[in-house]
Amino acid sequence: MFDPASLKYDANGLIPVVAQDHASHEVLMVAWMNAEAVTQTLASGRVTYWSRSRQAFWIKGESSGHVQKLVELRVDCDRDCLLVLVDQTGPACHTNRRSCFYTAVRDGAEVVIMAPSEA
Amino acid sequence: MFDPASLKYDANGLIPVVAQDHASHEVLMVAWMNAEAVTQTLASGRVTYWSRSRQAFWIKGESSGHVQKLVELRVDCDRDCLLVLVDQTGPACHTNRRSCFYTAVRDGAEVVIMAPSEA
């Protein structure tokens, strides 16, 4: 049995989570979960983070509609990081881009490599 | 110009870094950098982390030979997480697996889905 309490959380009780598109394999975002968010994500199949700014559960897409359906949750070797493979509806980023990692460093300069989606 | 000091580091001066294989798009590992590690990674083209356990710079592969050649560094929208696309020699994980995320949670149980490489 998998027990969320067996993971290693930081001093704030949080673990970093990488969300990856299960089909395109694009890395969409990194956010945080506490043990209860891990439990809720597995129980509901809807990826649920802990918002550090709001100090509240954050059911991804609850207000925007840009939900993340859980395809698979994976644990790393040190048990201090998670990878969630997701079925992402719409953009993952609050800037309306598919991924939060839309800025590349090329030849020492920052280059925006992804446009916000329309609509 | 990109300035590593413009990133948002945590209370320990660290930022989480997702390493992704640039060709297969597999998520290999998550580790941490401080500002100097970001600078060194960009200058050398060899991905360099800050080891929290050893409290020292960690030039990935320096002892194992399993180096990560930097292909591209990306910054997320909040500037508090990095994505490095890498050319990974051999396994990224200290367990000799390609990725650290070799344990999946399926039907409530942990399943090891990747074998260590031989040799």
Side-chain angles (χ1 to χ4, degrees), chain A residues 78-91:
Chain A
D78 291 333
R79 304 184 74 80
D80 63 0
C81 187
L82 298 175
L83 173 67
V84 286
L85 303 181
V86 303
D87 181 352
Q88 170 74 51
T89 300

Side-chain angles (χ1 to χ4, degrees), chain A residues 81-119:
Chain A
C81 187
L82 298 175
L83 173 67
V84 286
L85 303 181
V86 303
D87 181 352
Q88 170 74 51
T89 300
C93 184
H94 74 287
T95 67
N96 229 26
R97 292 173 173 90
R98 183 73 182 167
S99 164
C100 294
F101 294 95
Y102 56 81
T103 305
V105 176
R106 294 180 179 171
D107 299 326
E110 296 192 21
V111 184
V112 173
I113 58 172
M114 237 172 275
S117 59
E118 297 173 17

Side-chain angles (χ1 to χ4, degrees), chain A:
Chain A
M1 282 297 296
F2 169 71
D3 180 2
S6 71
L7 300 174
K8 287 182 201 148
Y9 300 92
D10 70 10
N12 298 312
L14 301 176
I15 188 168
V17 182
V18 181
Q20 182 179 32
D21 187 297
H22 81 105
S24 70
H25 297 151
E26 192 172 15
V27 173
L28 301 171
M29 58 183 283
V30 171
W32 298 77
M33 290 186 187
N34 57 17
E36 181 57 26
V38 175
T39 299
Q40 287 188 23
T41 295
L42 288 168
S44 68
R46 289 272 303 267
V47 179
T48 302
Y49 301 104
W50 178 259
S51 167
R52 294 174 301 168
S53 54
R54 290 189 290 107
Q55 289 287 304
F57 289 105
W58 168 27
I59 302 173
K60 174 68 181 161
E62 196 176 33
S63 54
S64 66
H66 301 150
V67 300
Q68 291 181 340
K69 187 178 162 194
L70 181 68
V71 175
E72 185 161 275
L73 184 142
R74 295 184 189 163
V75 180
D76 84 339
C77 52
D78 291 333
R79 304 184 74 80
D80 63 0
C81 187
L82 298 175
L83 173 67
V84 286
L85 303 181
V86 303
D87 181 352
Q88 170 74 51
T89 300
C93 184
H94 74 287
T95 67
N96 229 26
R97 292 173 173 90
R98 183 73 182 167
S99 164
C100 294
F101 294 95
Y102 56 81
T103 305
V105 176
R106 294 180 179 171
D107 299 326
E110 296 192 21
V111 184
V112 173
I113 58 172
M114 237 172 275
S117 59
E118 297 173 17

Side-chain angles (χ1 to χ4, degrees), chain B residues 57-108:
Chain B
F57 289 105
W58 168 27
I59 303 174
K60 175 69 180 162
E62 196 176 31
S63 54
S64 66
H66 301 149
V67 300
Q68 291 180 342
K69 187 178 164 198
L70 181 68
V71 174
E72 186 160 277
L73 184 142
R74 294 184 188 163
V75 180
D76 84 340
C77 53
D78 291 333
R79 303 185 74 80
D80 64 359
C81 187
L82 298 175
L83 173 67
V84 286
L85 304 180
V86 303
D87 181 353
Q88 170 73 53
T89 300
C93 184
H94 74 288
T95 66
N96 229 28
R97 291 173 173 89
R98 183 73 182 167
S99 164
C100 295
F101 293 96
Y102 56 82
T103 304
V105 176
R106 293 180 178 169
D107 298 325

